[in-house]
C-alpha cells in the first residue's frame, strides 16, 4: 500500500515536472499572443490600484491574470519603479506565463483524482499522462491567458460535486461552491459550464439510483 502510494506520487510528479519544463521552454521562445500585452497591462494596473475595472471592461475575469501578474508586481515593488511595458514586454512575457503553471498543476492533480475514481490507480496515472502530452493543453499552459485556469477550476468542481454529493453538508456544498466561484472568476464562461457539468453529473447519479424508470415495451403496449 505504501509503496503503491509512493509510486503513484512519483508518477504524478514526473509527468507534472516534465510537462511544466516543456511549457517553460515553449513560453521563452514564442512571442506574445494578441491579448497577452493588454492582459499584463490591465493586471498590473489592478495590482497597483486595487481595482479590476480595466480587466472587467475588456470582459475578462481577473483570477488567472492576477496570478500571472503577481510576480511582476512584486518585482516592481522590490525595485521601486514600474515597468515600461512598451519596452519590457518581451522580457516580461516568460515570467508572466509562469503563473499559468499553478493552474496546470491543479488540472493534472484533479485529473489524477477523477481517473482514480473511474478506473483505479492506473486510471489516475494514465489520465495524468494523457493530459500532460496533449498538444493543445500544453500550448495553452505555455501562455499567460485564462483557458487553463478555467479548465482546472471546472475539473475541480466536477470532482468535488460528484464525490461529495452524498457526503456531509459542508463537503457537499462548501467545496463545489468554492470551485464554482473560482471557475467564474477565472473566466465568465464558467458561469455556464459549471451548471451544465453539475446537471449531467446529477442526472448520472440519479440514473444509477434508478430514479428514472424507462417504460418497457410491454408497458407501452398495455397503455396503448
Amino acid at each position: 500500500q505504501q509503496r503503491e502510494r509512493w509510486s503513484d506520487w512519483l508518477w504524478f510528479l514526473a509527468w507534472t515536472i516534465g510537462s511544466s519544463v516543456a511549457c517553460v521552454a515553449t513560453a521563452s521562445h514564442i512571442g506574445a499572443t494578441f491579448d497577452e500585452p493588454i492582459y499584463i497591462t490591465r493586471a498590473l494596473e489592478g495590482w497597483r490600484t486595487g481595482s479590476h475595472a480595466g480587466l472587467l471592461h475588456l470582459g475578462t475575469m481577473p483570477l488567472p491574470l492576477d496570478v500571472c501578474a503577481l510576480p511582476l508586481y512584486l518585482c516592481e515593488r522590490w525595485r521601486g519603479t514600474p515597468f515600461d511595458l512598451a519596452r519590457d514586454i518581451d522580457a516580461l512575457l516568460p515570467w508572466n506565463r509562469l503563473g499559468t503553471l499553478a493552474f496546470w498543476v491543479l488540472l493534472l492533480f484533479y485529473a489524477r483524482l477523477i481517473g482514480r475514481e473511474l478506473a483505479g490507480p492506473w486510471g489516475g496515472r494514465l489520465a495524468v499522462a494523457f493530459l500532460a502530452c496533449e498538444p493543445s493543453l500544453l500550448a495553452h499552459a505555455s501562455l499567460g491567458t485564462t483557458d487553463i485556469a478555467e479548465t482546472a477550476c471546472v475539473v475541480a468542481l466536477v470532482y468535488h460535486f460528484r464525490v461529495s454529493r452524498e457526503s456531509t453538508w459542508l463537503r457537499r456544498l462548501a467545496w463545489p461552491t468554492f470551485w464554482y466561484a473560482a471557475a467564474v472568476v477565472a473566466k465568465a464562461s464558467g458561469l455556464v459550464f459549471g451548471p451544465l457539468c453539475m446537471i449531467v453529473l446529477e442526472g448520472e447519479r440519479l440514473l444509477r439510483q434508478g430514479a428514472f424508470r424507462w417504460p418497457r415495451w410491454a408497458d407501452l403496449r398495455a397503455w396503448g
Side-chain angles (χ1 to χ4, degrees), residues 79-198:
R79 67 182 206 157
T81 55
F83 289 110
D84 181 354
L85 296 179
R87 183 191 64 202
D88 300 329
I89 187 66
D90 290 334
L92 296 178
L93 268 176
W95 296 101
N96 183 73
R97 289 166 170 170
L98 288 177
T100 306
L101 294 180
F103 297 101
W104 176 244
V105 174
L106 184 70
L107 174 60
L108 294 180
F109 177 77
Y110 275 103
R112 169 183 169 271
L113 294 181
I114 291 174
R116 288 178 66 89
E117 286 289 323
L118 293 174
W122 272 105
R125 293 169 188 167
L126 292 178
V128 171
F130 289 153
L131 287 186
C133 294
E134 208 286 316
S136 179
L137 291 176
L138 283 173
H140 282 288
S142 304
L143 303 173
T145 52
T146 59
D147 298 294
I148 290 295
E150 183 196 23
T151 303
C153 292
V154 170
V155 169
L157 166 65
V158 165
Y159 173 77
H160 284 289
F161 182 81
R162 184 63 184 89
V163 301
S164 304
R165 195 66 190 93
E166 300 174 5
S167 185
T168 62
W169 180 89
L170 183 64
R171 293 188 61 191
R172 190 172 70 250
L173 292 179
W175 277 115
T177 300
F178 172 82
W179 285 113
Y180 178 53
V184 173
V185 179
K187 198 169 184 177
S189 55
L191 190 67
V192 177
F193 289 147
L196 287 176
C197 291
M198 289 187 282

Side-chain angles (χ1 to χ4, degrees), residues 15-96:
W15 284 104
T16 301
I17 293 171
S19 60
S20 298
V21 169
C23 291
V24 171
T26 302
S28 62
H29 286 89
I30 59 176
T33 63
F34 173 78
D35 46 9
E36 280 183 295
I38 190 64
Y39 283 171
I40 294 175
T41 302
R42 294 291 182 259
L44 282 175
E45 286 177 1
W47 279 113
R48 294 166 187 159
T49 65
S51 171
H52 291 116
L55 284 173
L56 296 176
H57 183 71
L58 298 173
T60 304
M61 302 304 283
L63 175 61
L65 306 182
D66 279 350
V67 172
C68 289
L70 178 58
L72 307 184
Y73 174 68
L74 294 177
C75 183
E76 275 191 350
R77 298 281 294 182
W78 175 73
R79 67 182 206 157
T81 55
F83 289 110
D84 181 354
L85 296 179
R87 183 191 64 202
D88 300 329
I89 187 66
D90 290 334
L92 296 178
L93 268 176
W95 296 101
N96 183 73

